[in-house]
């Protein structure tokens, strides 16, 4: 049975550890650079392709206490709020895909995964910063500031600035995409009842868009606003932003958007980065997972979902190739690369559609979306079957 070292104790790394344990691989250590995990104030959309994995790991009961199940997705114009198109979620989506669509606070999901990992006996080593990784005649290793750790398999789940990626695969630095995102949280009690509908709402505007949805059982409203700009900022989940600058970026937008911005006690700003695709993300007994190997723009809300899918597929390939883990890692990459590449492409395309300029480009987009939503709802819903209907759990059991 291979010994597994997971570098990075975020959502992807912890899910990978839990999935490997679920597959019967019980020699697992997670190395996390921070001493105390932060409950970062950001929301995550968990579509059925991700929630079915979390449910298979026995986490449905715990998650049910923390999530919000939206009734649908609404696309609206930035100024008037005209409902361009909508798509049902809630019970309709769950019936179609066999798993729920949930919104969750990132901090709540991370805490739940961390508690589950610890309760199930997975070793979590905090305060362990990775400085490099590699493989020599003795096998794979990860070099930590505190010393060298050796395992049969090393999984780099250490994010877009992955040290495993940069040292093993000689990847360059992340590149700025020209998009800057704002995020914030607003207590629902600060707004009039019903002011924000129980749906994931996307406001479409020229060169920018704004998204909001409930988390934590409806207690909080998470919002994200993305702006195309040459303003270069650091890539960080915790860089405080200037509320006045956020208000200027969305000045003149619908009152729902501006009221949410006004109601936020604090906001954060971060630049969106990505990487050139790697020719390979597995080498010998070392592999990558999530943003470390396929960072993507957030326009399909699939960043966390892809890491969760990766985790399940990786665990099943290591289970199949228990005696030859390097072969299992190669199969994991072969299986995951086409899907993650498609999601990356579609995320970029969706962002371009969200940000079309006023006039004919936006009118044409709105007409097509409205036609599908109102007259061809089954076809419109079916456009997401490839994404939300993907079932890696059934595919490997």
């Amino acid at each position: 049975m291979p010994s597994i070292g997971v570098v990075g104790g975020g959502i992807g790394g912890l899910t990978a550890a839990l999935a490997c344990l679920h597959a019967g691989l019980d020699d697992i250590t997670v190395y996390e650079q921070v001493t105390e995990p932060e409950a970062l104030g950001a929301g995550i959309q968990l579509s059925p392709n991700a929630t079915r994995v979390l449910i298979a790991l026995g986490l449905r009961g715990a998650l049910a206490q923390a999530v919000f199940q939206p009734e649908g997705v609404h696309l609206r114009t930035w100024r008037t709020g005209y409902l361009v198109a909508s798509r049902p979620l809630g019970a309709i989506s769950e019936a179609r895909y066999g798993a729920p669509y949930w919104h969750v606070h990132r901090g709540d999901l991370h805490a739940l995964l961390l508690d589950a990992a610890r309760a199930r006996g997975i070793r979590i080593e905090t305060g362990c910063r990775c400085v490099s990784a590699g493989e020599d005649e003795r096998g794979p290793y990860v070099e930590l500031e505190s010393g060298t750790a050796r395992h049969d398999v090393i999984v780099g789940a250490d994010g877009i600035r992955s040290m495993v990626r940069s040292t093993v695969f000689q990847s360059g630095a992340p590149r700025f995409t020209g998009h800057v995102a704002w995020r914030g949280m607003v207590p629902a009690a600060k707004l009039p009842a019903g002011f924000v509908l129980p749906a994931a709402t996307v406001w479409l505007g020229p060169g920018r868009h704004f998204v909001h949805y409930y988390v934590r059982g409806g207690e909080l409203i998470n919002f994200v606003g993305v702006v195309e700009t040459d303003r270069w900022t650091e890539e960080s989940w915790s860089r405080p932003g200037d509320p006045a600058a956020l208000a200027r970026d969305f000045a003149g937008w619908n009152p729902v958007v501006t009221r949410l911005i006004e109601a936020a006690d604090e906001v954060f700003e971060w630049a969106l980065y990505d990487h050139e695709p790697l020719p390979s993300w597995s080498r010998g007994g070392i592999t990558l997972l999530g943003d470390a190997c396929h960072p993507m723009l957030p326009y399909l809300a699939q960043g966390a979902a892809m890491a969760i899918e990766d985790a399940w597929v990786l665990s099943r390939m290591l289970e199949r190739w228990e005696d030859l883990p390097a072969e299992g890692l190669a199969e994991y990459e072969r299986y995951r690369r086409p899907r993650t590449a498609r999601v990356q492409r579609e995320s970029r395309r969706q962002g371009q559609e969200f940000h079309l300029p006023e006039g004919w480009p936006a009118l044409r987009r709105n007409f097509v979306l409205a036609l599908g939503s109102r007259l061809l709802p089954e076809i419109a819903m079916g456009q997401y079957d490839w994404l939300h209907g993907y079932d890696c759990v059934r595919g490997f059991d």
Side-chain angles (χ1 to χ4, degrees), residues 44 48 76 142 151 182 199 241 251-252 283 285 304 313 315 345 378 380:
I44 295 176
R76 296 182 177 274
V142 55
H151 297 274
W182 297 92
R283 182 173 299 168
V313 176
S315 70
R345 289 194 304 270
E378 177 60 27

Side-chain angles (χ1 to χ4, degrees), residues 217-290:
E219 177 185 335
L220 298 171
I221 301 163
N222 176 77
F223 69 76
V224 179
V226 179
V227 179
E228 294 183 17
T229 177
D230 58 4
R231 183 174 70 234
W232 187 284
T233 60
E234 63 180 303
E235 192 276 332
S236 170
W237 279 96
S238 55
R239 181 181 185 273
D242 178 5
L246 169 58
R248 287 194 298 270
D249 276 345
F250 291 92
W253 280 52
N254 188 271
V256 173
V257 173
T258 56
R259 181 73 179 274
L260 275 170
I261 292 171
E262 291 168 0
D265 292 328
E266 61 179 353
V267 297
F268 298 88
E269 181 184 17
W270 80 100
L272 300 180
Y273 286 78
D274 67 6
H275 269 289
E276 289 289 348
L278 285 170
S280 173
W281 72 56
S282 294
R283 182 173 299 168
I286 303 174
T287 195
L288 301 173
L289 179 150

